[in-house]
Each structure stands twice: as C-alpha cells, then as structure tokens.
Short mmCIF file of all heavy atoms in Angstrom, two decimals:
data_model
loop_
_atom_site.label_atom_id
_atom_site.label_comp_id
_atom_site.label_asym_id
_atom_site.label_seq_id
_atom_site.Cartn_x
_atom_site.Cartn_y
_atom_site.Cartn_z
N ALA N 1 -24.87 -0.44 -76.17
CA ALA N 1 -25.18 0.98 -75.86
C ALA N 1 -25.30 1.13 -74.40
O ALA N 1 -25.74 0.27 -73.68
CB ALA N 1 -26.52 1.26 -76.49
N SER N 2 -24.66 2.19 -73.91
CA SER N 2 -24.65 2.48 -72.44
C SER N 2 -25.91 3.39 -72.11
O SER N 2 -26.45 4.18 -72.87
CB SER N 2 -23.41 3.18 -72.04
OG SER N 2 -23.37 4.45 -72.57
N SER N 3 -26.39 3.20 -70.85
CA SER N 3 -27.52 3.86 -70.34
C SER N 3 -27.06 5.27 -69.95
O SER N 3 -25.89 5.61 -69.70
CB SER N 3 -28.20 3.07 -69.31
OG SER N 3 -27.38 3.16 -68.12
N ASP N 4 -28.03 6.15 -69.69
CA ASP N 4 -27.81 7.49 -69.12
C ASP N 4 -27.14 7.49 -67.78
O ASP N 4 -26.17 8.29 -67.47
CB ASP N 4 -29.07 8.32 -69.09
CG ASP N 4 -29.55 8.71 -70.52
OD1 ASP N 4 -28.75 8.83 -71.40
OD2 ASP N 4 -30.72 9.05 -70.59
N ALA N 5 -27.51 6.42 -66.98
CA ALA N 5 -26.96 6.44 -65.66
C ALA N 5 -25.44 6.11 -65.72
O ALA N 5 -24.60 6.57 -64.87
CB ALA N 5 -27.68 5.29 -64.85
N GLU N 6 -25.01 5.29 -66.75
CA GLU N 6 -23.68 4.90 -66.77
C GLU N 6 -22.76 6.04 -67.24
O GLU N 6 -21.54 6.00 -67.07
CB GLU N 6 -23.41 3.73 -67.72
CG GLU N 6 -24.00 2.45 -67.22
CD GLU N 6 -24.01 1.28 -68.17
OE1 GLU N 6 -23.83 1.52 -69.37
OE2 GLU N 6 -24.05 0.12 -67.75
N SER N 7 -23.38 7.07 -67.93
CA SER N 7 -22.53 8.09 -68.41
C SER N 7 -22.43 9.30 -67.56
O SER N 7 -21.87 10.35 -67.81
CB SER N 7 -23.09 8.60 -69.78
OG SER N 7 -24.37 9.17 -69.60
N GLN N 8 -23.07 9.23 -66.35
CA GLN N 8 -23.07 10.32 -65.34
C GLN N 8 -21.65 10.53 -64.78
O GLN N 8 -20.94 9.50 -64.52
CB GLN N 8 -24.03 10.09 -64.20
CG GLN N 8 -25.44 10.09 -64.65
CD GLN N 8 -25.90 11.47 -65.25
OE1 GLN N 8 -25.55 12.53 -64.72
NE2 GLN N 8 -26.68 11.39 -66.23
N PRO N 9 -21.26 11.71 -64.43
CA PRO N 9 -19.84 11.95 -64.02
C PRO N 9 -19.75 11.85 -62.45
O PRO N 9 -18.93 12.46 -61.93
CB PRO N 9 -19.52 13.42 -64.44
CG PRO N 9 -20.91 14.09 -64.38
CD PRO N 9 -21.87 12.98 -64.88
N TYR N 10 -20.52 11.14 -61.81
CA TYR N 10 -20.41 10.95 -60.39
C TYR N 10 -20.63 9.48 -60.03
O TYR N 10 -21.10 8.70 -60.77
CB TYR N 10 -21.47 11.79 -59.65
CG TYR N 10 -22.85 11.53 -60.06
CD1 TYR N 10 -23.58 10.60 -59.42
CD2 TYR N 10 -23.46 12.32 -61.06
CE1 TYR N 10 -24.90 10.34 -59.85
CE2 TYR N 10 -24.79 12.09 -61.48
CZ TYR N 10 -25.48 11.07 -60.83
OH TYR N 10 -26.75 10.86 -61.21
N VAL N 11 -20.31 9.16 -58.76
CA VAL N 11 -20.48 7.81 -58.32
C VAL N 11 -21.77 7.64 -57.67
O VAL N 11 -22.18 8.46 -56.84
CB VAL N 11 -19.26 7.45 -57.23
CG1 VAL N 11 -19.49 6.08 -56.62
CG2 VAL N 11 -18.03 7.53 -57.90
N SER N 12 -22.48 6.64 -57.96
CA SER N 12 -23.82 6.37 -57.39
C SER N 12 -23.72 5.43 -56.16
O SER N 12 -22.76 4.50 -56.21
CB SER N 12 -24.69 5.67 -58.40
OG SER N 12 -25.85 5.11 -57.68
N LEU N 13 -24.39 5.71 -55.09
CA LEU N 13 -24.28 4.89 -53.90
C LEU N 13 -25.44 3.90 -53.86
O LEU N 13 -25.67 3.18 -52.92
CB LEU N 13 -24.35 5.77 -52.65
CG LEU N 13 -23.15 6.68 -52.43
CD1 LEU N 13 -23.36 7.50 -51.20
CD2 LEU N 13 -21.90 5.91 -52.40
N GLY N 14 -26.12 3.76 -55.01
CA GLY N 14 -27.29 2.88 -55.05
C GLY N 14 -26.79 1.39 -55.21
O GLY N 14 -25.57 1.05 -54.98
N SER N 15 -27.70 0.47 -55.48
CA SER N 15 -27.32 -0.95 -55.52
C SER N 15 -27.21 -1.47 -56.90
O SER N 15 -27.39 -2.60 -57.19
CB SER N 15 -28.34 -1.72 -54.73
OG SER N 15 -29.64 -1.63 -55.38
N SER N 16 -26.80 -0.61 -57.94
CA SER N 16 -26.63 -0.94 -59.19
C SER N 16 -25.48 -1.79 -59.46
O SER N 16 -24.58 -1.90 -58.62
CB SER N 16 -26.55 0.25 -60.07
OG SER N 16 -25.39 0.91 -59.95
N GLU N 17 -25.36 -2.43 -60.57
CA GLU N 17 -24.21 -3.29 -60.94
C GLU N 17 -22.86 -2.42 -60.96
O GLU N 17 -21.81 -2.88 -60.52
CB GLU N 17 -24.37 -3.80 -62.37
CG GLU N 17 -23.33 -4.92 -62.62
CD GLU N 17 -23.45 -6.10 -61.83
OE1 GLU N 17 -24.50 -6.53 -61.22
OE2 GLU N 17 -22.30 -6.70 -61.47
N SER N 18 -22.95 -1.13 -61.34
CA SER N 18 -21.66 -0.36 -61.27
C SER N 18 -21.12 0.00 -60.03
O SER N 18 -20.08 0.11 -59.67
CB SER N 18 -21.99 0.98 -62.06
OG SER N 18 -22.92 1.71 -61.34
N THR N 19 -22.04 0.03 -58.94
CA THR N 19 -21.70 0.30 -57.56
C THR N 19 -20.77 -0.96 -57.08
O THR N 19 -19.96 -0.73 -56.32
CB THR N 19 -22.82 0.45 -56.67
OG1 THR N 19 -23.54 1.54 -57.14
CG2 THR N 19 -22.44 0.74 -55.22
N LYS N 20 -21.14 -2.10 -57.44
CA LYS N 20 -20.38 -3.38 -56.94
C LYS N 20 -18.98 -3.33 -57.52
O LYS N 20 -18.22 -3.92 -56.88
CB LYS N 20 -21.15 -4.61 -57.49
CG LYS N 20 -22.60 -4.70 -56.85
CD LYS N 20 -23.28 -5.86 -57.37
CE LYS N 20 -24.79 -5.95 -56.85
NZ LYS N 20 -25.56 -6.99 -57.48
N LYS N 21 -18.75 -2.63 -58.58
CA LYS N 21 -17.45 -2.60 -59.26
C LYS N 21 -16.59 -1.41 -58.62
O LYS N 21 -15.45 -1.31 -59.02
CB LYS N 21 -17.49 -2.52 -60.69
CG LYS N 21 -18.24 -3.75 -61.30
CD LYS N 21 -18.35 -3.53 -62.85
CE LYS N 21 -19.18 -4.68 -63.47
NZ LYS N 21 -19.51 -4.40 -64.89
N SER N 22 -17.20 -0.48 -57.91
CA SER N 22 -16.48 0.67 -57.45
C SER N 22 -15.39 0.34 -56.51
O SER N 22 -15.42 -0.75 -55.93
CB SER N 22 -17.43 1.66 -56.84
OG SER N 22 -18.05 1.12 -55.72
N ALA N 23 -14.46 1.16 -56.33
CA ALA N 23 -13.34 1.05 -55.50
C ALA N 23 -13.81 1.04 -54.02
O ALA N 23 -14.62 1.78 -53.62
CB ALA N 23 -12.32 2.12 -55.73
N ALA N 24 -13.18 0.23 -53.19
CA ALA N 24 -13.46 0.33 -51.77
C ALA N 24 -12.70 1.38 -51.05
O ALA N 24 -11.65 1.77 -51.58
CB ALA N 24 -13.05 -1.07 -51.16
N PRO N 25 -13.19 1.84 -49.87
CA PRO N 25 -12.45 2.84 -49.27
C PRO N 25 -11.00 2.49 -48.85
O PRO N 25 -10.79 1.19 -48.68
CB PRO N 25 -13.26 3.05 -47.98
CG PRO N 25 -14.61 2.69 -48.22
CD PRO N 25 -14.53 1.52 -49.32
N ALA N 26 -10.13 3.38 -48.81
CA ALA N 26 -8.77 3.02 -48.55
C ALA N 26 -8.52 2.60 -47.10
O ALA N 26 -9.43 2.80 -46.31
CB ALA N 26 -7.92 4.36 -48.78
N LYS N 27 -7.36 2.04 -46.77
CA LYS N 27 -7.28 1.65 -45.42
C LYS N 27 -7.11 2.84 -44.44
O LYS N 27 -6.89 3.93 -44.93
CB LYS N 27 -5.92 0.84 -45.33
CG LYS N 27 -4.55 1.51 -45.56
CD LYS N 27 -3.48 0.65 -45.38
CE LYS N 27 -2.14 1.37 -45.43
NZ LYS N 27 -0.99 0.66 -45.12
N PRO N 28 -7.37 2.68 -43.25
CA PRO N 28 -7.28 3.82 -42.32
C PRO N 28 -6.04 4.58 -42.34
O PRO N 28 -5.02 3.98 -42.56
CB PRO N 28 -7.62 3.12 -40.87
CG PRO N 28 -8.25 1.86 -41.24
CD PRO N 28 -7.77 1.45 -42.53
N PHE N 29 -6.13 5.90 -42.07
CA PHE N 29 -5.04 6.78 -42.08
C PHE N 29 -4.66 7.12 -40.69
O PHE N 29 -5.39 7.76 -39.95
CB PHE N 29 -5.39 8.10 -42.85
CG PHE N 29 -4.30 9.02 -43.04
CD1 PHE N 29 -3.47 8.76 -44.17
CD2 PHE N 29 -4.13 10.10 -42.29
CE1 PHE N 29 -2.40 9.68 -44.45
CE2 PHE N 29 -3.13 10.93 -42.52
CZ PHE N 29 -2.24 10.86 -43.63
N SER N 30 -3.55 6.56 -40.07
CA SER N 30 -3.22 6.60 -38.70
C SER N 30 -2.43 7.94 -38.42
O SER N 30 -1.95 8.48 -39.31
CB SER N 30 -2.43 5.36 -38.31
OG SER N 30 -1.16 5.51 -38.94
N THR N 31 -2.24 8.26 -37.19
CA THR N 31 -1.44 9.40 -36.76
C THR N 31 0.03 9.04 -37.19
O THR N 31 0.74 10.00 -37.50
CB THR N 31 -1.61 9.66 -35.39
OG1 THR N 31 -1.24 8.59 -34.58
CG2 THR N 31 -2.98 10.26 -35.01
N THR N 32 0.43 7.78 -37.19
CA THR N 32 1.84 7.45 -37.60
C THR N 32 1.95 7.72 -39.03
O THR N 32 2.98 8.35 -39.47
CB THR N 32 2.05 5.99 -37.31
OG1 THR N 32 1.81 5.74 -35.83
CG2 THR N 32 3.42 5.52 -37.70
N THR N 33 0.90 7.43 -39.83
CA THR N 33 1.00 7.66 -41.23
C THR N 33 1.17 9.24 -41.62
O THR N 33 1.82 9.77 -42.36
CB THR N 33 -0.18 7.16 -42.03
OG1 THR N 33 -0.29 5.81 -41.79
CG2 THR N 33 -0.09 7.41 -43.56
N LEU N 34 0.32 9.94 -40.78
CA LEU N 34 0.29 11.44 -40.84
C LEU N 34 1.74 11.91 -40.42
O LEU N 34 2.28 12.75 -41.23
CB LEU N 34 -0.76 12.07 -39.89
CG LEU N 34 -0.76 13.52 -39.76
CD1 LEU N 34 -1.12 14.16 -41.10
CD2 LEU N 34 -1.66 13.98 -38.66
N ALA N 35 2.33 11.54 -39.40
CA ALA N 35 3.64 11.95 -39.10
C ALA N 35 4.73 11.59 -40.08
O ALA N 35 5.57 12.37 -40.39
CB ALA N 35 4.07 11.29 -37.71
N ASN N 36 4.66 10.42 -40.68
CA ASN N 36 5.60 10.01 -41.73
C ASN N 36 5.45 10.89 -42.94
O ASN N 36 6.46 11.28 -43.57
CB ASN N 36 5.44 8.59 -42.08
CG ASN N 36 5.87 7.64 -40.95
OD1 ASN N 36 6.56 7.99 -40.16
ND2 ASN N 36 5.27 6.39 -41.03
N LYS N 37 4.19 11.25 -43.31
CA LYS N 37 4.04 12.13 -44.52
C LYS N 37 4.65 13.44 -44.22
O LYS N 37 5.12 14.14 -45.06
CB LYS N 37 2.53 12.13 -44.86
CG LYS N 37 2.03 10.88 -45.56
CD LYS N 37 0.64 11.16 -46.13
CE LYS N 37 0.74 11.21 -47.50
NZ LYS N 37 -0.54 11.40 -48.34
N PHE N 38 4.32 13.87 -42.97
CA PHE N 38 4.87 15.30 -42.53
C PHE N 38 6.50 15.26 -42.79
O PHE N 38 7.03 16.17 -43.15
CB PHE N 38 4.41 15.60 -41.17
CG PHE N 38 4.93 16.96 -40.66
CD1 PHE N 38 4.26 18.14 -41.04
CD2 PHE N 38 5.94 17.03 -39.86
CE1 PHE N 38 4.69 19.31 -40.60
CE2 PHE N 38 6.52 18.21 -39.42
CZ PHE N 38 5.81 19.38 -39.76
N ARG N 39 7.07 14.26 -42.11
CA ARG N 39 8.51 14.15 -42.06
C ARG N 39 9.10 14.10 -43.57
O ARG N 39 10.19 14.64 -43.75
CB ARG N 39 9.00 12.91 -41.39
CG ARG N 39 9.28 13.15 -39.89
CD ARG N 39 10.06 12.03 -39.29
NE ARG N 39 9.23 10.77 -39.18
CZ ARG N 39 8.36 10.52 -38.28
NH1 ARG N 39 8.02 11.33 -37.41
NH2 ARG N 39 7.69 9.30 -38.27
N ARG N 40 8.42 13.46 -44.39
CA ARG N 40 8.80 13.36 -45.91
C ARG N 40 8.32 14.57 -46.74
O ARG N 40 8.59 14.57 -47.92
CB ARG N 40 8.15 12.02 -46.50
CG ARG N 40 8.85 10.81 -45.92
CD ARG N 40 8.32 9.56 -46.70
NE ARG N 40 8.13 8.45 -45.83
CZ ARG N 40 7.00 7.83 -45.55
NH1 ARG N 40 5.82 8.12 -46.18
NH2 ARG N 40 6.91 6.82 -44.73
N ASN N 41 7.71 15.55 -46.05
CA ASN N 41 7.16 16.73 -46.80
C ASN N 41 6.29 16.33 -47.87
O ASN N 41 6.18 16.99 -48.90
CB ASN N 41 8.43 17.54 -47.29
CG ASN N 41 7.97 18.97 -47.51
OD1 ASN N 41 6.99 19.51 -46.80
ND2 ASN N 41 8.60 19.61 -48.42
N GLN N 42 5.39 15.27 -47.64
CA GLN N 42 4.42 14.90 -48.57
C GLN N 42 3.08 15.64 -48.43
O GLN N 42 2.74 15.81 -47.18
CB GLN N 42 4.16 13.36 -48.59
CG GLN N 42 5.36 12.61 -48.94
CD GLN N 42 5.10 11.06 -48.75
OE1 GLN N 42 4.41 10.65 -47.90
NE2 GLN N 42 5.71 10.25 -49.61
N PRO N 43 2.33 15.99 -49.32
CA PRO N 43 1.13 16.60 -49.16
C PRO N 43 0.00 15.71 -48.50
O PRO N 43 0.08 14.45 -48.68
CB PRO N 43 0.63 16.97 -50.65
CG PRO N 43 1.33 16.14 -51.48
CD PRO N 43 2.57 15.84 -50.85
N ILE N 44 -0.93 16.28 -47.72
CA ILE N 44 -1.96 15.52 -47.02
C ILE N 44 -3.23 16.14 -47.48
O ILE N 44 -3.45 17.34 -47.52
CB ILE N 44 -1.74 15.61 -45.50
CG1 ILE N 44 -0.44 15.02 -45.05
CG2 ILE N 44 -3.06 14.94 -44.81
CD1 ILE N 44 -0.01 15.46 -43.80
N SER N 45 -4.24 15.23 -48.01
CA SER N 45 -5.46 15.74 -48.43
C SER N 45 -6.47 15.64 -47.27
O SER N 45 -6.50 14.59 -46.62
CB SER N 45 -5.95 14.92 -49.64
OG SER N 45 -5.98 13.60 -49.43
N MET N 46 -7.28 16.62 -47.21
CA MET N 46 -8.34 16.65 -46.11
C MET N 46 -9.58 17.30 -46.73
O MET N 46 -9.49 18.18 -47.64
CB MET N 46 -7.93 17.48 -44.95
CG MET N 46 -6.62 17.08 -44.21
SD MET N 46 -6.39 18.14 -42.94
CE MET N 46 -4.62 17.72 -42.50
N VAL N 47 -10.81 16.78 -46.40
CA VAL N 47 -12.01 17.27 -46.71
C VAL N 47 -13.04 17.12 -45.59
O VAL N 47 -12.88 16.22 -44.78
CB VAL N 47 -12.43 16.52 -48.12
CG1 VAL N 47 -12.87 15.12 -47.79
CG2 VAL N 47 -13.58 17.22 -48.74
N THR N 48 -14.06 17.96 -45.60
CA THR N 48 -15.14 17.83 -44.72
C THR N 48 -16.35 17.14 -45.40
O THR N 48 -16.69 17.49 -46.52
CB THR N 48 -15.60 19.27 -44.12
OG1 THR N 48 -14.52 19.86 -43.49
CG2 THR N 48 -16.83 19.12 -43.26
N ALA N 49 -16.86 16.13 -44.71
CA ALA N 49 -18.07 15.53 -45.30
C ALA N 49 -19.22 15.72 -44.37
O ALA N 49 -19.05 15.68 -43.10
CB ALA N 49 -17.82 13.90 -45.36
N TYR N 50 -20.37 16.14 -44.91
CA TYR N 50 -21.53 16.50 -44.14
C TYR N 50 -22.49 15.34 -43.89
O TYR N 50 -23.36 15.66 -43.07
CB TYR N 50 -22.24 17.66 -44.74
CG TYR N 50 -21.34 18.92 -44.89
CD1 TYR N 50 -20.95 19.28 -46.21
CD2 TYR N 50 -20.99 19.70 -43.79
CE1 TYR N 50 -20.08 20.41 -46.33
CE2 TYR N 50 -20.21 20.81 -43.96
CZ TYR N 50 -19.77 21.12 -45.21
OH TYR N 50 -18.96 22.17 -45.34
N ASP N 51 -22.29 14.23 -44.50
CA ASP N 51 -23.10 13.12 -44.37
C ASP N 51 -22.30 11.81 -44.64
O ASP N 51 -21.26 11.86 -45.12
CB ASP N 51 -24.38 13.25 -45.21
CG ASP N 51 -24.10 13.44 -46.63
OD1 ASP N 51 -23.02 13.13 -47.08
OD2 ASP N 51 -25.07 13.80 -47.33
N CYS N 52 -22.92 10.71 -44.45
CA CYS N 52 -22.33 9.42 -44.62
C CYS N 52 -21.97 9.24 -46.11
O CYS N 52 -20.83 8.71 -46.37
CB CYS N 52 -23.41 8.26 -44.17
SG CYS N 52 -22.74 6.66 -44.45
N GLY N 53 -22.83 9.61 -47.18
CA GLY N 53 -22.56 9.47 -48.45
C GLY N 53 -21.29 10.18 -48.87
O GLY N 53 -20.41 9.70 -49.54
N GLY N 54 -21.12 11.49 -48.33
CA GLY N 54 -20.01 12.25 -48.66
C GLY N 54 -18.72 11.69 -48.16
O GLY N 54 -17.71 11.68 -48.61
N GLY N 55 -18.86 11.13 -46.83
CA GLY N 55 -17.75 10.49 -46.19
C GLY N 55 -17.20 9.30 -47.04
O GLY N 55 -16.04 9.00 -47.23
N TYR N 56 -18.17 8.47 -47.50
CA TYR N 56 -17.86 7.33 -48.26
C TYR N 56 -17.16 7.63 -49.55
O TYR N 56 -16.12 7.04 -49.91
CB TYR N 56 -19.16 6.55 -48.55
CG TYR N 56 -18.81 5.25 -49.25
CD1 TYR N 56 -18.35 4.05 -48.69
CD2 TYR N 56 -19.05 5.20 -50.65
CE1 TYR N 56 -18.08 2.92 -49.42
CE2 TYR N 56 -18.85 4.01 -51.36
CZ TYR N 56 -18.35 2.92 -50.77
OH TYR N 56 -18.13 1.85 -51.49
N LEU N 57 -17.71 8.72 -50.16
CA LEU N 57 -17.04 9.11 -51.48
C LEU N 57 -15.66 9.59 -51.35
O LEU N 57 -14.71 9.43 -52.09
CB LEU N 57 -17.98 10.21 -52.21
CG LEU N 57 -19.30 9.62 -52.78
CD1 LEU N 57 -20.10 10.87 -53.27
CD2 LEU N 57 -19.14 8.68 -53.82
N ALA N 58 -15.47 10.34 -50.16
CA ALA N 58 -14.23 10.92 -49.95
C ALA N 58 -13.22 9.81 -49.66
O ALA N 58 -12.04 9.67 -49.99
CB ALA N 58 -14.15 11.89 -48.80
N ALA N 59 -13.62 8.78 -48.87
CA ALA N 59 -12.80 7.57 -48.60
C ALA N 59 -12.53 6.84 -49.90
O ALA N 59 -11.37 6.45 -49.99
CB ALA N 59 -13.49 6.70 -47.67
N CYS N 60 -13.43 6.65 -50.78
CA CYS N 60 -13.16 5.95 -51.95
C CYS N 60 -12.26 6.82 -52.91
O CYS N 60 -11.55 6.15 -53.78
CB CYS N 60 -14.47 5.71 -52.77
SG CYS N 60 -15.46 4.47 -51.97
N ALA N 61 -12.21 8.07 -52.74
CA ALA N 61 -11.23 8.91 -53.51
C ALA N 61 -9.87 8.96 -52.91
O ALA N 61 -9.13 9.75 -53.32
CB ALA N 61 -11.87 10.34 -53.68
N ASN N 62 -9.66 8.09 -51.89
CA ASN N 62 -8.35 8.11 -51.18
C ASN N 62 -8.00 9.46 -50.55
O ASN N 62 -6.77 9.75 -50.61
CB ASN N 62 -7.26 7.63 -52.13
CG ASN N 62 -7.41 6.15 -52.49
OD1 ASN N 62 -7.86 5.37 -51.69
ND2 ASN N 62 -7.20 5.81 -53.74
N ILE N 63 -8.92 10.13 -50.12
CA ILE N 63 -8.56 11.37 -49.28
C ILE N 63 -8.01 10.92 -47.97
O ILE N 63 -8.52 10.07 -47.31
CB ILE N 63 -9.84 12.20 -49.04
CG1 ILE N 63 -10.49 12.63 -50.35
CG2 ILE N 63 -9.58 13.44 -48.18
CD1 ILE N 63 -9.79 13.55 -51.21
N ASP N 64 -6.92 11.54 -47.54
CA ASP N 64 -6.25 11.08 -46.44
C ASP N 64 -7.01 11.18 -45.04
O ASP N 64 -7.10 10.32 -44.28
CB ASP N 64 -4.85 11.88 -46.27
CG ASP N 64 -3.83 11.54 -47.29
OD1 ASP N 64 -3.92 10.38 -47.76
OD2 ASP N 64 -3.08 12.45 -47.68
N MET N 65 -7.70 12.35 -44.84
CA MET N 65 -8.37 12.60 -43.66
C MET N 65 -9.75 13.20 -44.01
O MET N 65 -9.77 14.13 -44.78
CB MET N 65 -7.59 13.59 -42.77
CG MET N 65 -6.23 13.03 -42.39
SD MET N 65 -5.36 14.19 -41.41
CE MET N 65 -6.03 13.83 -39.74
N VAL N 66 -10.79 12.68 -43.45
CA VAL N 66 -12.14 13.09 -43.60
C VAL N 66 -12.73 13.62 -42.32
O VAL N 66 -12.83 12.83 -41.36
CB VAL N 66 -13.02 12.10 -44.27
CG1 VAL N 66 -14.47 12.62 -44.55
CG2 VAL N 66 -12.42 11.53 -45.53
N LEU N 67 -13.05 14.90 -42.13
CA LEU N 67 -13.83 15.41 -41.02
C LEU N 67 -15.29 15.21 -41.16
O LEU N 67 -15.90 15.76 -42.17
CB LEU N 67 -13.44 16.83 -40.84
CG LEU N 67 -14.32 17.57 -39.75
CD1 LEU N 67 -14.01 17.03 -38.42
CD2 LEU N 67 -14.02 19.06 -39.80
N CYS N 68 -15.96 14.45 -40.39
CA CYS N 68 -17.36 14.26 -40.39
C CYS N 68 -17.93 15.01 -39.18
O CYS N 68 -17.74 14.62 -38.07
CB CYS N 68 -17.82 12.83 -40.33
SG CYS N 68 -17.24 11.95 -41.79
N GLY N 69 -18.54 16.14 -39.43
CA GLY N 69 -18.96 17.05 -38.38
C GLY N 69 -20.52 17.16 -38.32
O GLY N 69 -21.28 16.75 -39.23
N ASP N 70 -21.03 17.82 -37.16
CA ASP N 70 -22.29 18.05 -37.10
C ASP N 70 -22.85 19.35 -37.76
O ASP N 70 -23.95 19.76 -37.64
CB ASP N 70 -22.89 17.96 -35.66
CG ASP N 70 -22.15 18.96 -34.84
OD1 ASP N 70 -21.39 19.77 -35.33
OD2 ASP N 70 -22.41 18.93 -33.51
N SER N 71 -22.04 20.01 -38.60
CA SER N 71 -22.31 21.15 -39.26
C SER N 71 -23.33 20.85 -40.36
O SER N 71 -23.87 21.81 -41.03
CB SER N 71 -21.09 21.88 -39.82
OG SER N 71 -20.40 20.96 -40.69
N LEU N 72 -23.65 19.54 -40.59
CA LEU N 72 -24.71 19.21 -41.62
C LEU N 72 -26.04 19.88 -41.25
O LEU N 72 -26.74 20.34 -42.20
CB LEU N 72 -24.91 17.72 -41.42
CG LEU N 72 -26.32 17.12 -41.93
CD1 LEU N 72 -26.18 16.85 -43.37
CD2 LEU N 72 -26.68 15.89 -41.20
N GLY N 73 -26.25 20.03 -40.00
CA GLY N 73 -27.53 20.79 -39.51
C GLY N 73 -27.69 22.13 -40.15
O GLY N 73 -28.82 22.56 -40.57
N MET N 74 -26.50 22.84 -40.12
CA MET N 74 -26.56 24.22 -40.63
C MET N 74 -26.33 24.31 -42.17
O MET N 74 -26.98 25.05 -42.81
CB MET N 74 -25.53 25.04 -39.92
CG MET N 74 -25.75 25.11 -38.45
SD MET N 74 -24.42 25.97 -37.49
CE MET N 74 -24.74 27.64 -37.91
N VAL N 75 -25.39 23.57 -42.60
CA VAL N 75 -24.91 23.66 -44.03
C VAL N 75 -25.86 23.01 -45.01
O VAL N 75 -26.28 23.62 -46.02
CB VAL N 75 -23.53 22.99 -44.25
CG1 VAL N 75 -23.13 23.08 -45.70
CG2 VAL N 75 -22.45 23.74 -43.39
N VAL N 76 -26.37 21.79 -44.63
CA VAL N 76 -27.27 21.09 -45.57
C VAL N 76 -28.71 21.24 -45.21
O VAL N 76 -29.54 21.58 -46.04
CB VAL N 76 -26.92 19.62 -45.52
CG1 VAL N 76 -27.95 18.71 -46.34
CG2 VAL N 76 -25.55 19.36 -45.95
N CYS N 77 -29.05 21.20 -43.93
CA CYS N 77 -30.54 21.20 -43.47
C CYS N 77 -31.01 22.72 -43.25
O CYS N 77 -32.19 22.81 -42.98
CB CYS N 77 -30.68 20.34 -42.26
SG CYS N 77 -30.21 18.72 -42.52
N GLY N 78 -30.15 23.70 -43.09
CA GLY N 78 -30.61 25.03 -42.90
C GLY N 78 -30.98 25.33 -41.52
O GLY N 78 -31.65 26.38 -41.30
N GLU N 79 -30.64 24.60 -40.49
CA GLU N 79 -30.92 24.79 -39.11
C GLU N 79 -30.07 25.98 -38.63
O GLU N 79 -29.02 26.38 -39.18
CB GLU N 79 -30.52 23.62 -38.24
CG GLU N 79 -31.37 22.29 -38.81
CD GLU N 79 -32.89 22.43 -38.25
OE1 GLU N 79 -33.21 23.20 -37.33
OE2 GLU N 79 -33.59 21.58 -38.82
N SER N 80 -30.56 26.73 -37.59
CA SER N 80 -29.81 27.77 -36.96
C SER N 80 -28.69 27.25 -36.12
O SER N 80 -27.79 28.14 -35.74
CB SER N 80 -30.74 28.64 -36.18
OG SER N 80 -31.28 27.87 -35.10
N GLY N 81 -28.58 26.02 -35.75
CA GLY N 81 -27.52 25.46 -35.04
C GLY N 81 -27.32 24.04 -35.42
O GLY N 81 -27.99 23.46 -36.24
N THR N 82 -26.37 23.31 -34.63
CA THR N 82 -26.13 21.94 -34.96
C THR N 82 -26.77 21.04 -34.03
O THR N 82 -26.75 19.75 -34.29
CB THR N 82 -24.61 21.59 -34.84
OG1 THR N 82 -24.11 22.03 -33.51
CG2 THR N 82 -23.79 22.54 -35.81
N VAL N 83 -27.48 21.45 -33.02
CA VAL N 83 -28.05 20.59 -31.98
C VAL N 83 -29.19 19.62 -32.55
O VAL N 83 -29.31 18.39 -32.12
CB VAL N 83 -28.73 21.41 -30.81
CG1 VAL N 83 -29.47 20.57 -29.86
CG2 VAL N 83 -27.75 22.25 -30.21
N ALA N 84 -29.81 20.14 -33.60
CA ALA N 84 -30.89 19.23 -34.23
C ALA N 84 -30.30 17.97 -34.81
O ALA N 84 -31.08 16.94 -34.94
CB ALA N 84 -31.64 19.99 -35.31
N VAL N 85 -29.04 17.86 -35.19
CA VAL N 85 -28.48 16.71 -35.82
C VAL N 85 -27.42 16.04 -34.96
O VAL N 85 -26.76 15.10 -35.30
CB VAL N 85 -27.91 17.00 -37.19
CG1 VAL N 85 -28.89 17.39 -38.10
CG2 VAL N 85 -26.70 17.97 -37.12
N THR N 86 -27.17 16.52 -33.72
CA THR N 86 -26.25 16.05 -32.87
C THR N 86 -26.70 14.85 -31.97
O THR N 86 -27.77 14.90 -31.59
CB THR N 86 -25.63 17.10 -31.95
OG1 THR N 86 -25.18 18.10 -32.78
CG2 THR N 86 -24.56 16.68 -31.08
#
C-alpha cells in the first residue's frame, strides 16, 4: 500500500526516500547550445523561478533556461520592491 505522500502530483524537496530516486538537474545549457538550437529551429523552454526550490524543479524538468530573479520580494513576499531580497 502506498502512502498519501507517494500519491501527490508534485516533487518533494524533502529528504524522503522518493527524493533520493528523483532525476538530477540536466547539464548546463550553454550559449553554444542555445545558438545550435536556434540554427536548427528547435524550441527552447524558459521559465522564471522565484526561489531555489523552483529553480531546482525547473532544472529537474529539463527546462533549457531558468531565470532566477529578485522579483521574489514582490511576487512571493508581497514587498513593494525587490531591495528587501537583493
């Protein structure tokens, strides 16, 4: 019988046994790789991550490029600017 945690539709970043079996982030995506995909007319996936956990999940999902910005302060924390998290 599986537990409720094992049936959740998201990846846990905790230290459970299932985390140890998760995929590792893909290898770095260089500007050369970007240029090659552009020349071949291949799609490039991009996403913004507001924190380390989001960046890790995007990397594990093989997203080509992840923008990690300081907009976390406004988007997640509700600050009036980004200075508080910069």
